[in-house]
Amino acid sequence: MAKEETFIGSIDQGTTSTRFILYNKKAENIGSHQIEFTQFCPHAGWVEHDPMEILESVRICVSKTIDKATANGYNIDNGLKAIGITNQRETTVVWSKSTGIPLYNAIVWMDIRTSSICSELEKKLSGGRTHFLETCGLPISTYFSAMKLLWLLENVKRVKEAAEKGDALFGTIDSWLIWNLTGGINNGIHVTDVSNASRTMLMNIKTLNWDKPTLETLKIPSSILPKIISNSEVIGRVGKGWPFTGVPISGCLGDQHAAMLGQACKKGHAKCTYGTGAFILLNTGEEVIKSQHGLLTTLAFKLGKDASTNYALEGSIAIAGAAVQWLRDSLGIISSAKEIEDLASEVESTGGVYFVPAFNGLFAPWWREDARGVIIGITRFTNKCHIARAVLESMCFQVKDVLGSMRKDVGHRNEGRNEKGEFSLRVDGGATINTMLMQFQSDILGIRVVRPSDIETTALGAAYAAGLAVGVWSEKDVFSNEERMKKDKTFSPVLSEELRKKKVDSWIKALERTFDLADLSL
């Protein structure tokens, strides 16, 4: 006999891996599968993915998860009500409408090959780096999809020719997946959601439409762009050839926005997701706040066609978990990511060592594309344990930089506080299982850090959006989550204010050493 009759599936397509998770009506994970895919780095600063490999990874994860759940007695065929999708943002794909074949590899969000395009635009446009800030909330940067699309149109002959013939389709990974899931060359649906669209530099964040003056300035044809939709509505049904044919796709959010929803972040609440990078978002409600301290103005979520839009301030950190991968894959100091906590625990401090992972420049709040990574404070006493601890601490210092900027922009009056008047940071993502990391994060911030019992809130947020659209959950179910929060782990600061200040001052010294290093001789 089936154990459950109502399920929501969540496709979580990240920077290094793809997952599919099945949730029951209680929002409990009843089955999942995850696989890593290839990351290509053909030149220094270039990062690419194979869109076809990503597509196949989704197919495998869905099949494996459904098989596991079925083996455990769940009647998935009859009970699966909807699918939600969440994805790595800004990663850009252009493919052929007639053949369905990508015209180039996907250019990943952290790729910096568009530096020269950005520099040229800054010089040419009257507003310089902030020329489009009023409409899209974003500065001109290698980070965003429009710059990657410009590079493809200017440098890849197949892309340019297909665009001229009307055969090219542009999208972030959500668009690529939805188009293929709903039929591909057989009338696949070409859409993107407001959260992913807000990261392209091409959407007006107030009208939620593609901004015509921006498109004209950048000479980007509107014909290649997807239709913009909300985060929670029935988009279409899964086509033939997939393990869940006929099931509606009804939720779609960029990964950081999905994590906000999964963490039930209302106005004034902030969350940080620790993945390859780290991403801090503060929900500002229906108010669009322009940052004066290096942050981005972006969408939080829009939960339905006619729903109000929640906005957010965001600070993006390019390298967080990726620094741990660097220790493992490039330096061989650890053989698996989980070993770093044990290694770092062998010493009580970094011994004065500070590590700034500006591998491809620094994102918020510094925005220094000329920065490069440094390790300073090394003495003969320094060993690999100190380096490992410094790598972990670097994530926390970067988060402090961003959260400090947020608090300057919004003021303490707009922070979401508990009944005791305490502000806390909600955290999620794979790295949060590291207790040392979370305790140091609380120590260096001087506030509580709250880790949910289920740290995979990105996938949960996409499931919530999908379930809301088909009536499985109400917004009250999503945002009134007292029962779930009882299981959360809270970290409280124990570091003295004096030592906290000394450590932060030392971090700033280290960080300033990274500036203007991009042209070091090879």
Side-chain angles (χ1 to χ4, degrees), residues 345-365:
S345 298
E346 292 183 26
V347 290
E348 293 183 359
S349 73
T350 66
V353 173
Y354 285 79
F355 169 67
V356 188
F359 294 164
N360 288 350
L362 290 169
F363 284 179

Side-chain angles (χ1 to χ4, degrees), residues 305-357:
K305 292 180 181 179
D306 301 318
S308 58
T309 303
N310 271 229
Y311 292 91
L313 282 175
E314 174 173 343
S316 304
I317 296 164
I319 303 295
V324 178
Q325 296 167 350
W326 174 72
L327 284 184
R328 180 193 66 191
D329 300 337
S330 298
L331 299 190
I333 288 177
I334 52 176
S335 56
S336 67
K338 64 183 179 182
E339 289 178 19
I340 191 169
E341 184 171 11
D342 289 339
L343 186 62
S345 298
E346 292 183 26
V347 290
E348 293 183 359
S349 73
T350 66
V353 173
Y354 285 79
F355 169 67
V356 188

Side-chain angles (χ1 to χ4, degrees), residues 32-66:
S32 67
H33 191 78
Q34 177 173 336
I35 57 175
E36 291 190 3
F37 51 82
T38 311
Q39 192 154 274
F40 304 98
C41 300
H43 303 285
W46 292 32
V47 189
E48 299 177 357
H49 292 154
D50 179 353
M52 298 303 288
E53 185 183 3
I54 287 175
L55 197 61
E56 185 60 20
S57 73
V58 171
R59 188 184 303 277
I60 293 169
C61 286
V62 169
S63 297
K64 295 283 188 183
T65 302
I66 291 176

